[in-house]
Amino acid sequence: MAIPLIYNVRSIQGRFSSTLVALFSIAGVVAVLIAMLAMASGFKKTLVASGSAHNAIILRGGATSEMESSLELEQIKIIGDDPRIARDSAGRPLYSAEVVVIAALPLRSSGTDANVQIRGVSQDALAIRDTVKLLKGRFFTPGLAEIVIGKHAQETYSGFDLGKNIHFGGRDWSIVGVFDAGGSAFDSESWCDANVLNQAYKRPENLFQSMTARLTAPAALQDLKNAVSTDPRLTVGVKSEIAYYEEQSVMITTLINVLGFLVAGVMGIGAIFGALNTMYAAVSSRYREIATLRAIGFRGSQVVLSFMLESLIIAFLGGLLGALIILPINGYTASTINWQTFSHMSFAFAVTPDILIQGLLFSLILGFFGGFFPALRAARRPIAPALRGL
Amino acid sequence: MTNNLHAQDALIAVKNIHKNYQRGSETIEVLRDVNLNIHKGEFVAFMGPSGSGKTTLLNLLGGLDVPTSGHIFIDGEDIAGMSAKKLTTWRSRHVGFIFQMYNLIPVMTAFQNVELPLLLTRLSKSERRRHVEAALAIVGLADRMSHYPRQLSGGQEQRVAIARAIVTDPTFLLCDEPTGDLDRKSANEILDLLTRLVQEHAKTVLMVTHDPLAANRAGTRFHLEKGVLAVNSKGEAP
Ligand SMILES: Nc1ncnc2c1ncn2[C@@H]1O[C@H](COP(=O)(O)OP(=O)(O)O)[C@@H](O)[C@H]1O
Ligand SMILES: [Mg+2]
């Protein structure tokens, strides 16, 4: 049997103040790591929430985002005729042909310009996106320079107030409504008539970037894909809207995650030195105890294991502390540049159980490296001189 | 001649032991050609001035260190040639150590300290409890099981250490100045206990001591002088 764990637990208790440096430095690293991972996961959650399993998004074949896609009205109508597209009560297919532009408008906070994403949509845009609800005012009138703004856009940009006019694309737009997109990326957008937006930006008529269509059922997606890919008139790609937004989040979440582990890794090296210091001190103050255990017949490997466990316990406590410290960040709203569109996007930090586990595992890694060499030293010390107190 | 006759049935037979330490370029001969035989159930005392090599000899007999040359047969097995790993297992089976400074684990109770050597056996939890209670009863500390070392007097600490040494019923006990840190009264209690272990429990006890009163308890006395084992109390050449 191993050297009892109680030996380590009580030893830590007995010299708790000397473990505090190691404990806090590990807590700091874990807090930073969790914050970064929560940022990435919040970002992803926000983007993915924009999609619905009930919707398909259609882009030009080969396009990976709507920013690099274009669709002619011709093609959009063909797809709209497909029986897999849901109809409204009047029998018209439910879809929105959309264009996206980026307008530079002043922030409320600093007055400096930032990019806001303006989406030109069809009249049915609300009907197909059931998570988007009008909070105040009304939806825009087709053919008019009217705009509805997302609730985060309203909070973020100066002059984004119901009843006011904003200026972009060489003309004034009157704000006629505010919508709530349930915490998704749409909350950071503003929506207007796609045709009016095309005119304002002198883009060709009847040319759009994407089409979002309501499916009769989520399972109809595959049939739609098959139908579209075999139709010689169509050169488009069909994706589930959720899959699309997930893909859109990949680059930036990967970037934040990698950055998070990099920063935590660099900080972690410092924390490992703190742990090493604590553990070397623990070992050298207990040479006689260790020698006694070895004399009794405990093996060197058991001593290594015992001191490794001690280091891991300290590190885990540090990790728990770090997780507790950073937990309140959950739900905290921040805004960042969506690098896919170079526009501002608001999102809430999401501390998931997964992320907490990763943070705690990271603390254990730090504990492993902080404990390994001190534990080896403890086990390799010759017994006879250690018993003499040499 | 006597030596060879005794060697036949000796529990411990030390043959031509040398132990050198290297201090820089200097070689220190700590033990020089030590030979001795100890029988089962003997109470042996090693005396001699400080630095004469008593602790070194005890460490060799206990498998904590290895001789530079020579053989140490214990129960027929030569431990002088054993690997460190084998020695570790051998110690757990055959030796009970009692130190001058008791060497209890301060963060563990008397019970947990005494239980430590049993964690290296296959005994179940309840069997371990039975053995620990029996050992603590022998040393008269059955009522101090949940005390921590700092809550005990020096004499009581040493009795817990003795319980820890006997709990696995080892082949022999090694005591390095077991009363060196105790007052006369506590020292006598410890010596009474060791005597009782030899007389009533048939233990074999090897004890290093400075104290002539302690040495008088032993049936056999060896004297070490500058690493050479001199005469014993029976007047035999060792
Ligand atoms: N690890 C060691 N390295 C060098 N010299 C040592 C070592 N251990 C003991 N010695 C020396 O060996 C001699 C005998 O020591 P020791 O066995 O402790 O004597 P005693 O127990 O009789 O007082 C001393 O001179 C001591 O300094
Ligand atoms: Mg000594």
Side-chain angles (χ1 to χ4, degrees):
Chain A
M1 237 203 271
I3 297 168
L5 204 58
I6 195 82
Y7 171 60
N8 307 102
V9 173
R10 295 231 186 96
S11 294
I12 293 170
Q13 281 175 346
R15 58 184 180 92
F16 193 68
S17 59
S18 72
T19 66
L20 285 179
V21 172
L23 208 103
F24 279 116
S25 49
I26 289 170
V29 176
V30 170
V32 167
L33 179 64
I34 290 178
M36 297 287 275
L37 298 183
M39 186 182 198
S41 93
F43 185 87
K44 177 175 180 177
K45 204 172 134 191
T46 299
L47 269 177
V48 171
S50 308
S52 156
H54 231 286
N55 291 347
I57 184 162
I58 296 102
L59 303 174
R60 191 194 64 207
T64 56
S65 91
E66 53 185 337
M67 303 313 279
E68 56 188 55
S69 161
S70 65
L71 287 178
E72 281 156 22
L73 185 60
E74 203 80 12
Q75 302 208 321
I76 290 171
K77 282 188 165 152
I78 295 170
I79 296 165
D81 286 339
D82 190 281
R84 262 73 56 164
I85 307 296
R87 316 271 138 180
D88 66 8
S89 48
R92 293 180 310 111
L94 278 169
Y95 63 81
S96 175
E98 305 190 341
V99 289
V100 165
V101 301
I102 305 297
L105 290 165
L107 291 170
R108 277 189 203 273
S109 55
S110 60
T112 55
D113 280 359
N115 287 335
V116 57
Q117 185 156 311
I118 312 283
R119 181 178 294 274
V121 300
S122 305
Q123 202 48 33
D124 283 332
L126 277 186
I128 59 171
R129 295 196 175 98
D130 36 22
T131 54
V132 183
K133 302 258 175 348
L134 266 180
L135 274 181
K136 280 184 269 180
R138 57 174 175 81
F139 209 54
F140 62 80
T141 314
L144 295 185
E146 290 180 346
I147 193 162
V148 288
I149 56 178
K151 66 167 194 255
H152 284 317
Q154 183 194 23
E155 289 158 10
T156 308
Y157 298 97
S158 109
F160 271 50
D161 296 302
L162 190 58
K164 288 228 178 108
N165 283 350
I166 50 174
H167 189 88
F168 66 86
R171 64 158 67 174
D172 282 337
W173 303 75
S174 44
I175 299 171
V176 296
V178 180
F179 64 82
D180 178 351
S184 71
F186 295 134
D187 274 325
S188 300
E189 296 183 351
S190 295
W191 292 1
C192 61
D193 185 321
N195 291 314
V196 180
L197 193 61
N198 267 344
Q199 284 163 25
Y201 279 80
K202 301 185 173 60
R203 291 185 176 184
E205 223 179 315
N206 296 337
L207 191 64
F208 299 86
Q209 283 168 272
S210 67
M211 169 189 189
T212 301
R214 189 81 175 162
L215 296 165
T216 49
L221 180 73
Q222 194 53 47
D223 292 335
L224 180 65
K225 275 186 184 173
N226 296 342
V228 163
S229 65
T230 51
D231 191 324
R233 296 167 299 173
L234 297 174
T235 53
V236 302
V238 181
K239 270 186 190 127
S240 119
E241 205 185 12
I242 287 186
Y244 172 75
Y245 281 105
E246 216 163 80
E247 283 168 24
Q248 298 305 297
S249 73
V250 165
M251 194 184 89
I252 190 137
T253 51
T254 308
L255 187 80
I256 301 172
N257 281 336
V258 167
L259 206 67
F261 277 106
L262 260 168
V263 170
V266 171
M267 286 178 69
I269 292 171
I272 286 173
F273 279 104
L276 278 171
N277 200 40
T278 299
M279 290 311 296
Y280 273 128
V283 166
S284 61
S285 69
R286 274 144 69 191
Y287 275 136
R288 209 152 58 95
E289 289 174 32
I290 298 162
T292 304
L293 291 168
R294 298 280 283 122
I296 287 172
F298 285 98
R299 292 187 299 277
S301 56
Q302 289 171 304
V303 170
V304 170
L305 184 73
S306 177
F307 277 86
M308 285 299 296
L309 278 175
E310 190 161 324
S311 176
L312 291 174
I313 291 170
I314 293 170
F316 192 74
L317 289 176
L320 275 181
L321 181 68
L324 273 176
I325 289 171
I326 205 66
L327 203 55
I329 206 176
N330 189 33
Y332 171 77
T333 306
S335 112
T336 185
I337 303 285
N338 178 348
W339 292 99
Q340 223 76 38
T341 59
F342 293 100
S343 61
H344 254 256
M345 189 187 110
S346 294
F347 65 94
F349 281 68
V351 182
T352 61
D354 227 49
I355 288 172
L356 289 176
I357 289 169
Q358 286 185 59
L360 291 176
L361 282 178
F362 199 78
S363 73
L364 290 179
I365 291 172
L366 299 180
F368 180 87
F369 286 110
F372 188 67
F373 291 105
L376 272 193
R377 179 184 282 185
R380 285 189 175 164
R381 177 101 182 185
I383 306 167
L387 281 174
R388 291 168 194 266
L390 289 180
Chain B
M1 284 306 281
T2 24
N3 193 33
N4 282 341
L5 275 176
H6 279 283
Q8 300 301 316
D9 50 358
L11 176 68
I12 299 171
V14 174
K15 307 248 184 246
N16 310 110
I17 280 291
H18 288 259
K19 179 65 181 177
N20 301 338
Y21 283 116
Q22 208 66 39
R23 202 176 280 162
S25 58
E26 200 187 348
T27 302
I28 307 163
E29 287 188 85
V30 179
L31 294 177
R32 306 173 200 206
D33 197 28
V34 171
N35 290 277
L36 64 91
N37 292 313
I38 293 165
H39 295 88
K40 194 170 168 3
E42 262 187 291
F43 190 174
V44 182
F46 294 92
M47 297 197 70
S50 195
S52 55
K54 303 183 298 292
T55 296
T56 303
L57 177 59
L58 222 56
N59 285 345
L60 294 180
L61 292 175
L64 295 175
D65 208 347
V66 286
T68 308
S69 65
H71 299 280
I72 302 170
F73 292 99
I74 295 178
D75 235 355
E77 243 182 321
D78 186 3
I79 66 163
M82 276 189 195
S83 69
K85 211 172 165 181
K86 271 191 90 176
L87 267 182
T88 303
T89 313
W90 178 84
R91 283 197 302 272
S92 71
R93 299 222 177 103
H94 296 283
V95 197
F97 290 98
I98 295 157
F99 306 96
Q100 178 176 356
M101 301 305 295
Y102 332 126
N103 287 14
L104 297 178
I105 305 296
V107 297
M108 298 178 122
T109 62
F111 182 95
Q112 289 164 338
N113 267 286
V114 176
E115 190 186 22
L116 273 174
L118 294 178
L119 297 177
L120 294 162
T121 67
R122 288 174 193 280
L123 294 181
S124 72
K125 200 176 156 85
S126 61
E127 288 170 318
R128 290 202 303 269
R129 168 161 283 278
R130 214 159 38 74
H131 281 78
V132 171
E133 285 170 355
L136 281 169
I138 289 174
V139 302
L141 286 177
D143 56 341
R144 295 285 196 279
M145 285 200 293
S146 50
H147 284 55
Y148 287 91
R150 69 185 131 76
Q151 298 169 317
L152 300 170
S153 71
Q156 288 172 328
E157 278 196 75
Q158 193 60 299
R159 284 194 271 155
V160 173
I162 292 171
R164 181 177 67 187
I166 61 174
V167 74
T168 52
D169 192 19
T171 308
F172 60 105
L173 301 181
L174 291 178
C175 322
D176 195 350
E177 312 211 20
T179 58
D181 214 49
L182 297 175
D183 58 56
R184 188 71 260 163
K185 183 169 171 291
S186 306
N188 282 336
E189 282 169 11
I190 295 299
L191 292 168
D192 289 344
L193 178 56
L194 290 175
T195 308
R196 201 151 54 79
L197 287 174
V198 174
Q199 290 175 351
E200 294 172 23
H201 298 269
K203 304 282 181 201
T204 308
V205 176
L206 283 65
M207 173 175 71
V208 163
T209 184
H210 268 118
D211 175 7
L213 284 177
N216 280 340
R217 303 288 192 112
T220 314
R221 285 180 289 281
F222 288 103
H223 288 268
L224 260 173
E225 203 80 50
K226 289 183 180 154
V228 179
L229 199 63
V231 284
N232 68 24
S233 60
K234 293 170 187 165
E236 300 161 351

